Amino acid sequence: MPHSIQIKNQEFQLHPTGGIFWVEKSMLLISDVHLGKVAHFRKFGAAVPQKAIHKNFILLDEIVNAFQPFQICFLGDLFHSSLNKEWQLFENWVQKTPTEIILVAGNHDIIATEKFEALTIPLFQELSIDGFLLTHHPEERENFFNFCGHIHPAIQMQGFGRQRLKLPCFFKKRHQLILPAFGEFTGTFVLEPTKEDEVFAIVEDEVVKV
Amino acid sequence: MTRKELFHIAQNWFDRQGWKPFAFQKESWTAFLQGKHGLLNAPTGSGKTYALWFPIVLNYIKNNPDYKTKHKKGLKAIWITPLRALSQEIKQSAERITKDLDTQMTVGIRTGDTSTKERSRQKTAMPDLLITTPESLQLLLSSKGYDKVFKDCSAIVVDEWHELLGTKRGVQMELGLSRLKTICPDLRIWGISATIGNLEQAREVLLGPTSEALQNSVLVKAKLNKKITVKSIIPKQMETFPWRGHLGLHLLEDAVPIINNSKTTLLFTNTRSQCEIWFQKILEKHPEYAGELAMHHGSVNKETRIWVEQAIRNESLKAVVCTSSLDLGVDFAPVETVVQIGGPKGVARFLQRAGRSGHRPGKESIIHFLPTHAMELIEASAMQQAVKKEAVEDRIPYLNSYDVLLQYLTTLAVSDGFYPHEIYTEIKHTFCYQGITEDEWQWLLNFLVMGSQSLKTYDEYQKVEVGTDGKFKVNNRGIAMRHRFQIGTIVGDAVVAVRYQKGGYIGSIEEYFISKLTPGDVFTFAGRNLEFIRIKGMQAHVRNSNKRTNKVPSWMGGRLSFSAQMSELLRQELYTAEWEPAKQSDEIRSLAPMFAKQREESIVPKPDEFLIETFKTRDGYHHIFYPFEGRAVHEAMSSLLSYRISLLSPITCSLAFNDYGFEMLSDKPIDIQQVLDNDLFSTDYMLSDLQKSLNSNEMARRKFRDIAVISGMVFTGYPDKGIKMKHLQSSSQLLFDVFKDFEPDNLLYQQAFTETFEHQLEEGRLRMALERIAEQEIVWKQCKNPTPFSFPLITDRLREKLSNEKLADRIKRMTKILMK
């Protein structure tokens, strides 16, 4: 179940897979998928299960079907490594997905621009749309609200009986929202919220404000 | 030369030293020269090195009668030591023989400390006698043409075999030996072990259960009648003695007269941080010891350690605070007294430490037991019984460690390659893999070559390749290089070297500790106060500081569990609490105030009683069970019980256990009456329930960490080299989840569960414990406050977690958010 929030009078739906749907623009924001990571590990002799490769595409299909967006904007680190055979699977996925795709490049995106352009995926360093700034690394800019990734945020919670939990989350500051990593087989980094931060944790198939 | 003549040479040497060879030494010489294999059971410092170095040299003399004038080059014998710190000592004793007997034999060391220059020199000309570690032996097997290096090797001696047995390094050793048996036609295999419960099995594991070697082998026992006396330090004021804690500083002043009254005292602590703290505190309170007190633990740099060891021998030190780093090797004649601070976690270890004092044969060994909290006094009393009865623990060897086998196969593939049918026959004869099936073997080969069990066209998996002649080989240089780096990482966390800015090396610390420091922080290490400046590569730069600090690096000490016999002794001791004081031991009598406090709200259980206590603190609801069966059984029982409780109603709880009992801490009360009514301590379906319980907690997950590293699934980066391989690093946690979701039938994933099951949770003992509980009367005490018995448990921070509640439900109850 997505969780709906309002920023600058626009509606954003936070999806438990880690993507955000911008209702007014019909745009899906997804960050840090790290495609190709499994194949990269296998190429270097670490036998991560092959089936894990497909999971990312299953999740992508799931969120695209849920919102039927006009556009998908990847906020960087779409591909984990240099070109490997997972790229072909990505090509197939792009071709069968009837949606415009754009990429804001991240530090892991080292695949040649031409490769993306051949799939009609334009590349940007950043994008600004109606007072919203889309980047990979967190940015602060006056009069802009920033959507970004890179951090793979998580939150740690503590309860009675010495209980502790770590959960991936959407981490919202006053002028910024950091998306969780979308990809399977990616790690997380624990952030500490201050009073004015808002945290939306991913709890199985729900997004819960904590 | 006849054996008689050879013995004469040895006898002469002993005469010149003014010594007499022990019976066990002569026995080993004879057996060795007869070409036999064997296991020598002898404690540290008994002259065990001469028991085996001698016949090795004599055998060379026998085969080379003109040994004084001619030198036949090439490796003759390998001496394996689990601790590279001991290699220098072993080398000296070997050189003494080779020189005194006028042979031209050379002795060399090859460990992680050996310089690249020395290593490449060894490559062209191996020393005659090589001292090395299990890891370095594996590395030798990963170099090209290794079979030629080993072909004339006449002996391999595995020192401190009891330390390796029951670990994966032991498995590594088994595999190495299985290969050497084939490539060295004239090899004798010898192990040296301290006393453990399963000595016969230790020999079987070393030589292979169905091997000819075992048939043609001996077990030599050094019978050095030694009297060991245990003296407990009993607090004068029991009322103020703490119920918990692990440092024991309360009794520091009681240790001082012991130090004063003897020439040299060793104070054994259980962890390196405890060692640092004791060293600091003694000097603080008794500055007069400055210069006469030293510290020795595994993270202190090599030069300092050697200096300390030398100073003990010269009798220039009054006392040394140390850890298990002084358990092994190194003979210290002048040590007069030993103090054990806190429970020694094992009878074998306690005996070994006691044996450190009064080294000369026939002399009495005295060990003082300094308890760190009240409950340990019961342990102290039981320990005295255990020493009398020699109730020594078993070391349980591993079975079917697929991770180590995969690493080994890759090692062989990296060097000269291997033919599966050849290696299969070899490993089938090891103890660890005696039960491996052809299907499992095929699975492992597929895993190495395809990274899975079926070939997919788009897959780029690359590791081992199969040549046209069926030889398995690694052709990719990057993979070979990464593999060699990985071999050494069978144990331990990433460590960081601690250096002065100008370059002086001080020691090494777990990365985990350094990562918590910020520049400017002061911490105590190697007895110095150091200011952390920066981290660079795999090095932490520091400078001396005058600031006082209480930050001490912590290291995880191995937690051994009490054996069944020791647990029984512990219970018997506890039951004497009800006796009249005159019949009690001093320790138990001194605990009277604590027992009185315990009885205020609860009971001290009698033989037919099983105690359960429940109470609430601001931490949550505590449920404490006291089977007194030892840590391992409590771990298993708590896992089983919490699983069964969770079937009645969903719960989330954390578990803590020690040798006395276990605790379930939850944010809601557990209905103990329901537990009793539903007979949750039953042995029915015990096995399947226990298996299922593992899915809901994190034990298997933790085991998987090592498995992932050893099998080469997780790359830990290059130690000391500081080379970052970040794009290949992933956490074993992530990997565990991926396997759980996508490949639950993977043998490595499965191994995590079997290992937890067989190694951590002793199933057989659990059943017996449950049967015993079934005959006891259950006494459930609802207390208002924590009792003395419960204190060490409820304050334990290392906990096992368990939950079968919906995540969302838990979060709704979580009130505050906290970081760090």
Side-chain angles (χ1 to χ4, degrees), chain B residues 651-680:
Chain B
I651 54 158
T652 299
C653 61
S654 73
L655 311 171
F657 17 79
N658 61 16
D659 284 312
Y660 314 105
F662 62 91
E663 179 205 27
M664 296 166 61
L665 173 66
S666 181
D667 60 348
K668 335 179 260 202
I670 294 168
D671 186 351
I672 298 290
Q673 197 52 53
Q674 219 185 356
V675 171
L676 303 181
D677 293 346
N678 285 286
D679 192 19
L680 295 194

Side-chain angles (χ1 to χ4, degrees), chain B residues 528-540:
Chain B
R528 291 170 242 214
N529 280 347
L530 301 169
E531 183 190 328
F532 175 61
I533 304 170
R534 71 176 81 83
I535 186 120
K536 207 176 166 191
M538 293 298 274
Q539 298 186 344

Side-chain angles (χ1 to χ4, degrees), chain B residues 191-242:
Chain B
I192 305 176
S193 168
T195 301
I196 50 173
N198 52 338
L199 262 183
E200 271 302 341
Q201 192 180 38
R203 167 159 67 143
E204 205 178 296
V205 177
L206 180 78
L207 301 172
T210 53
S211 66
E212 272 174 54
L214 185 66
Q215 294 291 318
N216 184 30
S217 73
V218 289
L219 177 63
V220 178
K221 282 191 173 188
K223 291 180 201 73
L224 309 163
N225 282 328
K226 216 160 175 189
K227 193 169 176 271
I228 292 174
T229 308
V230 184
K231 290 185 180 167
S232 305
I233 299 173
I234 294 171
K236 287 177 198 81
Q237 283 242 308
M238 190 44 88
E239 287 75 11
T240 56
F241 193 62

Side-chain angles (χ1 to χ4, degrees), chain B residues 54-67:
Chain B
F54 251 104
I56 288 170
V57 177
L58 295 179
N59 187 50
Y60 171 76
I61 291 176
K62 185 173 122 193
N63 295 331
N64 301 277
D66 49 357
Y67 66 98

Side-chain angles (χ1 to χ4, degrees), chain A residues 1-5 12-16 19 21 66-67 205-207:
Chain A
M1 278 292 292
H3 182 104
S4 187
I5 57 169
F12 295 90
Q13 295 190 345
L14 315 182
H15 193 263
F21 184 58
F67 296 115
D205 47 7
E206 273 180 79
V207 174

Side-chain angles (χ1 to χ4, degrees), chain B residues 208-276:
Chain B
T210 53
S211 66
E212 272 174 54
L214 185 66
Q215 294 291 318
N216 184 30
S217 73
V218 289
L219 177 63
V220 178
K221 282 191 173 188
K223 291 180 201 73
L224 309 163
N225 282 328
K226 216 160 175 189
K227 193 169 176 271
I228 292 174
T229 308
V230 184
K231 290 185 180 167
S232 305
I233 299 173
I234 294 171
K236 287 177 198 81
Q237 283 242 308
M238 190 44 88
E239 287 75 11
T240 56
F241 193 62
W243 294 350
R244 59 154 183 150
H246 61 278
L247 286 177
L249 292 169
H250 284 86
L251 294 177
L252 191 143
E253 288 307 325
D254 295 78
V256 171
I258 298 173
I259 297 174
N260 285 338
N261 288 333
S262 87
K263 224 185 276 168
T264 309
T265 305
L266 294 186
L267 297 113
F268 279 101
T269 58
N270 285 327
T271 61
R272 285 175 262 180
S273 54
Q274 192 184 11
C275 180
E276 296 267 356

Side-chain angles (χ1 to χ4, degrees), chain B residues 106-323:
Chain B
T106 54
V107 188
I109 295 177
R110 190 187 181 97
T111 67
D113 291 337
T114 312
S115 67
T116 358
K117 199 178 130 202
E118 174 67 17
R119 258 183 254 185
S120 54
R121 213 173 57 88
Q122 285 174 355
K123 212 168 204 172
T124 44
M126 262 289 172
D128 297 283
L129 307 177
L130 180 72
I131 297 149
T132 187
T133 59
E135 292 78 17
S136 291
L137 181 72
Q138 290 283 317
L139 276 169
L140 280 171
L141 292 179
S142 76
S143 55
K144 293 214 174 354
Y146 66 87
D147 52 337
K148 289 186 200 67
V149 174
F150 290 109
K151 86 179 168 353
D152 291 326
C153 187
S154 67
I156 180 162
V157 177
V158 187
D159 206 350
E160 319 275 5
W161 176 232
H162 61 283
E163 286 289 324
L164 292 170
L165 189 73
T167 69
K168 290 196 176 169
R169 296 172 82 202
V171 178
Q172 223 178 17
M173 209 52 241
E174 285 182 58
L175 287 169
L177 288 170
S178 77
R179 193 82 265 268
L180 290 181
K181 274 186 195 165
T182 307
I183 57 175
C184 318
D186 186 37
L187 185 76
R188 291 157 193 77
I189 301 169
W190 279 79
I192 305 176
S193 168
T195 301
I196 50 173
N198 52 338
L199 262 183
E200 271 302 341
Q201 192 180 38
R203 167 159 67 143
E204 205 178 296
V205 177
L206 180 78
L207 301 172
T210 53
S211 66
E212 272 174 54
L214 185 66
Q215 294 291 318
N216 184 30
S217 73
V218 289
L219 177 63
V220 178
K221 282 191 173 188
K223 291 180 201 73
L224 309 163
N225 282 328
K226 216 160 175 189
K227 193 169 176 271
I228 292 174
T229 308
V230 184
K231 290 185 180 167
S232 305
I233 299 173
I234 294 171
K236 287 177 198 81
Q237 283 242 308
M238 190 44 88
E239 287 75 11
T240 56
F241 193 62
W243 294 350
R244 59 154 183 150
H246 61 278
L247 286 177
L249 292 169
H250 284 86
L251 294 177
L252 191 143
E253 288 307 325
D254 295 78
V256 171
I258 298 173
I259 297 174
N260 285 338
N261 288 333
S262 87
K263 224 185 276 168
T264 309
T265 305
L266 294 186
L267 297 113
F268 279 101
T269 58
N270 285 327
T271 61
R272 285 175 262 180
S273 54
Q274 192 184 11
C275 180
E276 296 267 356
I277 292 166
W278 264 82
F279 178 75
Q280 290 271 316
K281 291 288 171 192
I282 295 179
L283 280 183
E284 212 170 273
K285 300 249 164 69
H286 295 274
E288 68 272 17
Y289 285 137
E292 286 188 312
L293 181 73
M295 180 170 56
H296 190 290
H297 63 66
S299 292
V300 175
N301 79 23
K302 197 169 79 184
E303 288 72 33
T304 314
R305 266 183 286 158
I306 291 174
W307 177 85
V308 173
E309 288 160 19
Q310 204 52 48
I312 299 174
R313 268 179 233 116
N314 300 343
E315 306 187 21
S316 58
L317 288 175
K318 196 82 192 132
V320 179
V321 189
C322 58
T323 65

